[in-house]
Amino acid sequence: MHLMMILIVLAVAWWVRSSWNQPQGNWSMRWGRSLFLFLFPPLLIFMTAIAVLFMGPQGQMGGMYTGSVSYLLALIYLAFFAISCIKLAFQGWQSVESARNCPLVNLGDKRARLLQTGALFAGQIGFWQPELVVSQGLLQILSPNHLESVLAHEQGHHYYRDTFWFFWLGWVRSCTAWLPNTEPLWEEMLALRELRADGYAALQVDPLVLAESLLLVVSTSPVLSEICCAALGSSGVDRLQQRIEALLAPPEATQVSQFQSWHGFLLALLPLVAVVFHN
């Protein structure tokens, strides 16, 4: 019975992920839909594994006997989740340590780590309290106005705690790469993250100046690991036109109702109901 429940959940997760298509609508609509399609299937699978593990390898459910195969599968999958988290956490710690080895510099009223490279780079490196990291090439090439716009963008990443939330989303990505549309959804959320930070910066600096900074920085290859990192150009060249068009268009609200964003995820808890029918 447990094996049947696992197969049903896998089919539902596959179907939900397969329903993704090209993004449409404003920022709020795209973010809510992409986040649900990205996160709901893994959460449903995870809750099912927790339920199976809690019910144990023996017993009955719905008049049918349960076996140890489903219990072993759930145990293996949860162990894989744990190992992936530890691996990403170690890689993130390496990125943070690498940033902390860079010297501190003052940029007006902000302090930043100076990366000794000619590449154009600016990003937040860390977990809950990230540090601003800028490259020597960025300080040498950008004008004061362009540099101010870049720092405003990075302040947006800090404000929304992007390094923290996208560490966990990256963990989900690594654990469910076998599900359909994992990479397109991941790229979509990275692009939306950058659009949100751009919108935050556009309230403080001239959007046209920020767009010019994007043209300079996004074309540069990343110089640090993207784990625990939120950089100005991390969404890639493919999304550059979309970001510039958003900056030049009238601003739109980028906040999403908490209820609208999260109430659908309660459905992922349904597998835990099966525990009641197990004996």
Side-chain angles (χ1 to χ4, degrees):
M1 187 62 182
H2 288 173
L3 189 59
M4 185 182 300
M5 184 173 73
I6 291 174
L7 291 175
I8 292 173
V9 164
L10 288 176
V12 171
W14 193 276
W15 173 74
V16 171
R17 273 291 186 84
S18 298
S19 65
W20 186 82
N21 49 31
Q22 290 301 318
Q24 295 179 348
N26 59 24
W27 187 96
S28 298
M29 293 175 60
R30 288 171 59 186
W31 175 259
R33 186 167 186 268
S34 298
L35 184 63
F36 179 81
L37 293 178
F38 182 83
L39 199 54
F40 178 79
L43 188 59
L44 183 64
I45 296 171
F46 184 77
M47 289 295 108
T48 302
I50 291 290
V52 171
L53 198 67
F54 187 82
M55 289 184 285
Q58 297 178 344
Q60 286 185 336
M61 190 173 69
M64 300 177 64
Y65 285 97
T66 60
S68 58
V69 175
S70 55
Y71 180 83
L72 184 61
L73 288 174
L75 192 62
I76 291 173
Y77 195 68
L78 290 174
F80 174 68
F81 259 66
I83 293 172
S84 297
C85 184
I86 293 171
K87 178 183 176 182
L88 282 179
F90 178 72
Q91 293 174 346
W93 175 79
Q94 287 182 314
S95 295
V96 173
E97 286 300 304
S98 176
R100 287 177 178 171
N101 289 331
C102 298
L104 281 168
V105 294
N106 291 318
L107 301 176
D109 59 344
K110 297 180 177 63
R111 290 173 66 82
R113 297 285 180 177
L114 182 62
L115 199 61
Q116 302 293 334
T117 176
L120 303 185
F121 175 84
Q124 296 285 341
I125 308 291
F127 199 55
W128 182 253
Q129 289 289 350
E131 286 189 285
L132 176 62
V133 178
V134 297
S135 68
Q136 191 172 22
L138 188 84
L139 299 182
Q140 291 174 344
I141 294 176
L142 293 193
S143 68
N145 287 341
H146 288 103
L147 182 60
E148 181 186 6
S149 68
V150 170
L151 297 182
H153 173 94
E154 292 306 323
Q155 183 60 35
H157 284 309
H158 187 278
Y159 177 80
Y160 290 112
R161 306 289 183 184
D162 284 335
T163 54
F164 175 81
W165 296 115
F166 273 80
F167 170 83
W168 298 112
L169 291 174
W171 173 47
V172 172
R173 171 202 180 197
S174 68
C175 294
T176 57
W178 50 274
L179 282 174
N181 292 319
T182 296
E183 285 306 309
L185 280 167
W186 173 252
E187 292 298 325
E188 169 70 358
M189 288 193 298
L190 283 179
L192 292 172
R193 180 187 75 176
E194 297 307 312
L195 286 171
R196 181 172 64 179
D198 288 343
Y200 179 94
L203 297 176
Q204 306 175 52
V205 298
D206 187 346
L208 182 59
V209 175
L210 179 57
E212 292 172 350
S213 301
L214 282 176
L215 290 172
L216 292 171
V217 178
V218 172
S219 59
T220 304
S221 300
V223 296
L224 288 175
S225 169
E226 291 188 353
I227 302 172
C228 293
C229 173
L232 178 68
S234 61
S235 65
V237 179
D238 294 341
R239 304 286 185 176
L240 178 60
Q241 181 178 354
Q242 181 184 167
R243 293 175 63 184
I244 292 178
E245 289 176 353
L247 283 170
L248 301 181
E252 65 174 52
T254 57
Q255 296 296 330
V256 186
S257 166
Q258 188 173 5
F259 175 76
Q260 179 187 359
S261 301
W262 295 104
H263 74 281
F265 290 99
L266 295 177
L267 295 174
L269 302 179
L270 284 177
L272 298 179
V273 178
V275 176
V276 179
F277 301 99
H278 185 271
N279 54 61

